[in-house]
Amino acid sequence: MTHPAPSGGPAPVIHAAPALPSYIPPFGLRTVIGCLGMLLAVHVAGFNEHVTEIGLADIRGAMHIGHDEGTWLITLYEAFNIAAMAFTPWFYMTFSIYRFSIFMTAAMALLAIPAPFMPDVTSLCMLRAMQGMTAGCLPPVLMTVMLKYLPPEIRVFGIGGYAMSATFGPNLGLPLEAFWFENLGWHWLYWEIIPMAALAIGMMAYGLPKDPVHLERFEKFNWFGLMVGLPAIISLVTVLYQGDRLDWFRSPLITHLTFWGLAAFVVFVINEAYHPSPYFRIQYWKSRNIQAALLSLVGILAICSLLSEIPATYLEEIRGYRPIQTAPVSLVVALPQLIMLPLIAALCNSARVDCRYVLVAGMLCLAGASWLGTWLTPDWVRDNFYPIQMLQILGQPMTVIPTLMLATLAMGPADGPFISGMVNMLKGLANAIAFALFSILTRRREQYHSTMLLGHGSAHATPADGVGSPIAGQLAGTSPDTAHVAHNTLQVFHTYVHEQALVLALADIYLVVMVVCLGYAVLNLVLPKRVYPPRAPARPAPAQPAPAPALSPLPSSASAPNPAS
């Protein structure tokens, strides 16, 4: 019932919490195990992506695959992986989260078994494309599981668990590649997911609620959206991964994929806006929080990917490090995430803390890490990157968790599947955009600095004639053939120029990342509105019984009430 307010006005109406579906058991240890199994399955999918990508040089050498053919292994895997994320929510709502998650995890693991024995590159590319599709189906399910099965009081910790797939998993890919290749052989770059996938399947089978199948949804299946959207996303991702290698629009393949991919994607977006059963709702972009969150998510994940790629590239190209020697740089960021993610989630779970300010502080940490990177020189070794990585330990969880809160907590329970597909597709596109940006900036800035260094060398050649060439002086005693010494001197000189140009190019990328971080910090102070951590709806207070009428005290000598009273 409604009680009068103390001021005499009407009391606020308190709505009871909606009843949980009958198939969802009370929250307990079993549900926690199921959610952790889903989290493990997503990490397995991430390892399958990053470990094989980092170890591609070793795989190509073992399977006798050329460089250009090897790039298509990454491209097709990523293209089908990202495309699958966009359409997954419709399918797990139809076939049930329980069955869909177990089936896709098992399919991903089984496809890894024959991978080292593929007879040619074409068959291996087809297998990796199928494996990428199965792996891409898992992250959207994880987001829905964390938002649906966890109580409101700890839902932000579920968002932190999902954020592990963007901070912990990618940074652990390099150490895992080094461990499997150096200790068990290159076959395990494919097979390492099999035991972990089996464990994840067991945990999901035990703990996830067995939700029902809704095959009647096929009556309104969005066939046109699938037939248009799937090739559109695959085409655009292929452009991002192959564009720089094929010199962008000087390649007919890139030109056609860009034109037809964009045209098909525009048709797909229009279809999603008006179809009664869309894969995701374009109308969400009208919300300021969704705009800020999704734009920030793409930028933050691209920034994190670039900040991980620069040290690996420097140590490999300049210092000649193997992955096992580079692994500590990644582990410095990966392992502390197991502590930092719960801490940041607990901080953001407080109603007193505005997650927007946490996000801005995280962007400033990443900007500080990028500023330190602008001091990069050819004399750096692995230890010089540790201060940069320390700031990333703070910056990555402080940016990813608030961004996901802004994207998801403003939505209702029925909006989860629609926002899940959109968030995860953009999450995958962020990696593709980071790959394309790194390729473009590295090549263009390296060419610029190489040209400038050679130009300065030519301009100062005449004044330096009297000094002589230090390189030629050191190599003069290595051979009596002066022509051979001159050839070696030129090679060493160009090696130095290449190293200096690459170092300057990587320092330029750090500078670009720093400016972008500062821009995102300003954006998130202005655009989004504040969201609060979820809480269980307050239960209405029980009705108070009406006070009993006052009774006159009975005389002590009376044994019965007096009728006159």
Side-chain angles (χ1 to χ4, degrees):
M1 62 180 294
T2 303
H3 303 284
S7 61
V13 178
I14 300 176
H15 298 284
L20 291 176
S22 58
Y23 61 84
I24 300 182
F27 179 76
L29 179 61
R30 186 164 185 167
T31 306
V32 172
I33 292 175
C35 293
L36 291 178
M38 191 71 244
L39 179 62
L40 178 59
V42 171
H43 279 301
V44 170
F47 296 153
N48 185 47
E49 172 187 357
H50 297 292
V51 171
T52 50
E53 180 179 341
I54 295 169
L56 183 61
D58 298 319
I59 292 174
R60 288 194 293 105
M63 301 186 72
H64 308 290
I65 298 174
H67 175 270
D68 292 347
E69 293 86 353
T71 60
W72 283 102
L73 292 176
I74 297 177
T75 299
L76 291 175
Y77 183 95
E78 295 292 344
F80 280 85
N81 182 281
I82 296 170
M85 293 180 182
F87 304 98
T88 291
W90 192 94
F91 286 96
Y92 72 65
M93 292 171 63
T94 303
F95 294 107
S96 82
I97 292 176
Y98 176 81
R99 295 167 182 81
F100 186 82
S101 304
I102 292 176
F103 176 81
M104 288 301 171
T105 306
M108 177 183 64
L110 292 175
L111 287 171
I113 297 175
F117 309 113
M118 289 291 102
D120 51 41
V121 177
T122 303
S123 58
L124 181 59
C125 285
M126 293 174 61
L127 184 142
R128 289 292 289 171
M130 295 174 61
Q131 200 173 29
M133 182 179 65
T134 57
C137 292
L138 296 175
V141 186
L142 173 64
M143 175 174 284
T144 301
V145 164
M146 294 299 184
L147 296 176
K148 184 176 183 180
Y149 296 151
L150 294 182
E153 294 82 2
I154 62 171
R155 198 163 290 163
V156 174
F157 291 92
I159 294 175
Y162 175 82
M164 289 183 66
S165 63
T167 58
F168 176 74
N171 288 302
L172 201 61
L174 182 61
L176 282 178
E177 191 278 339
F179 172 79
W180 292 118
F181 182 80
E182 298 292 341
N183 294 279
L184 297 178
W186 69 273
H187 296 79
W188 282 91
L189 299 180
Y190 292 114
W191 293 344
E192 48 102 19
I193 67 170
I194 297 175
M196 292 186 287
L199 177 60
I201 290 172
M203 296 172 67
M204 289 188 292
Y206 172 75
L208 286 183
K210 298 176 176 60
D211 46 332
V213 177
H214 297 285
L215 298 180
E216 68 276 4
R217 289 171 53 83
F218 275 102
E219 296 176 0
K220 297 182 180 180
F221 184 51
N222 190 357
W223 293 99
F224 182 76
L226 181 64
M227 290 187 294
V228 175
L230 187 66
I233 297 173
I234 291 174
S235 298
L236 295 178
V237 175
T238 303
V239 168
L240 291 173
Y241 275 96
Q242 292 289 331
D244 192 70
R245 186 181 70 85
L246 298 177
D247 204 11
W248 294 101
F249 299 109
R250 292 182 177 86
S251 166
L253 175 64
I254 297 300
T255 302
H256 285 291
L257 286 177
T258 303
F259 177 79
W260 294 110
L262 285 175
F265 191 76
V266 170
V267 174
F268 171 66
V269 170
I270 296 174
N271 176 76
E272 293 302 291
Y274 295 100
H275 197 278
S277 180
Y279 295 105
F280 46 76
R281 299 191 187 278
I282 305 300
Q283 292 81 357
Y284 289 156
W285 282 90
K286 296 179 181 179
S287 168
R288 289 172 55 182
N289 277 39
I290 296 298
Q291 294 171 11
L294 295 184
L295 290 175
S296 298
L297 183 67
V298 173
I300 289 167
L301 295 180
I303 288 168
C304 293
S305 180
L306 288 172
L307 291 178
S308 300
E309 186 68 26
I310 293 174
T313 301
Y314 173 87
L315 294 174
E316 178 184 353
E317 297 290 336
I318 304 300
R319 289 296 173 186
Y321 280 21
R322 289 282 301 153
I324 195 170
Q325 297 169 304
T326 312
V329 178
S330 297
L331 284 175
V332 166
V333 179
L335 295 182
Q337 298 301 318
L338 298 175
I339 300 174
M340 290 302 303
L341 285 167
L343 289 179
I344 300 300
L347 178 66
C348 294
N349 199 34
S350 172
R352 298 180 180 180
V353 177
D354 191 340
C355 67
R356 297 174 300 175
Y357 298 135
V358 177
L359 173 56
V360 171
M363 295 306 305
L364 294 178
C365 287
L366 295 181
S370 303
W371 178 77
L372 291 178
T374 59
W375 299 89
L376 182 67
T377 69
D379 299 325
W380 278 29
V381 292
R382 184 176 62 196
D383 295 349
N384 294 101
F385 287 97
Y386 289 153
I388 299 176
Q389 306 301 85
M390 293 296 180
L391 287 174
Q392 290 185 61
I393 293 172
L394 296 173
Q396 290 189 8
M398 291 176 68
T399 52
V400 176
I401 292 179
T403 302
L404 293 173
M405 289 179 63
L406 291 172
T408 58
L409 296 186
M411 301 286 102
D415 300 319
F418 300 104
I419 195 66
S420 173
M422 192 183 302
V423 166
N424 283 277
M425 184 188 72
L426 292 176
K427 174 176 171 285
L429 280 175
N431 293 327
I433 292 171
F435 182 91
L437 285 176
F438 186 78
S439 301
I440 294 171
L441 293 174
T442 303
R443 181 169 63 89
R444 298 295 174 87
R445 298 305 297 172
E446 185 181 357
Q447 289 175 349
Y448 169 79
H449 289 298
S450 178
T451 302
M452 296 300 295
L453 290 170
L454 291 174
H456 282 296
S458 300
H460 295 84
T462 302
D465 283 343
V467 179
S469 171
I471 301 175
Q474 292 183 2
L475 297 179
T478 60
S479 173
D481 188 351
T482 56
H484 182 67
V485 171
H487 176 72
N488 289 343
T489 301
L490 188 62
Q491 282 189 328
V492 172
F493 173 73
H494 281 288
T495 300
Y496 284 150
V497 170
H498 167 70
E499 289 181 354
Q500 293 286 347
L502 180 58
V503 168
L504 291 172
L506 296 178
D508 289 346
I509 297 176
Y510 271 125
L511 180 62
V512 171
V513 171
M514 182 186 70
V515 174
V516 173
C517 289
L518 295 176
Y520 271 114
V522 175
L523 173 71
N524 285 282
L525 281 176
V526 175
L527 189 57
K529 298 179 180 179
R530 183 179 181 182
V531 297
Y532 290 87
R535 292 293 182 266
R539 295 182 179 180
Q544 297 292 333
L551 298 178
S552 301
L554 297 178
S556 58
S557 60
S559 61
N562 188 356
S565 66

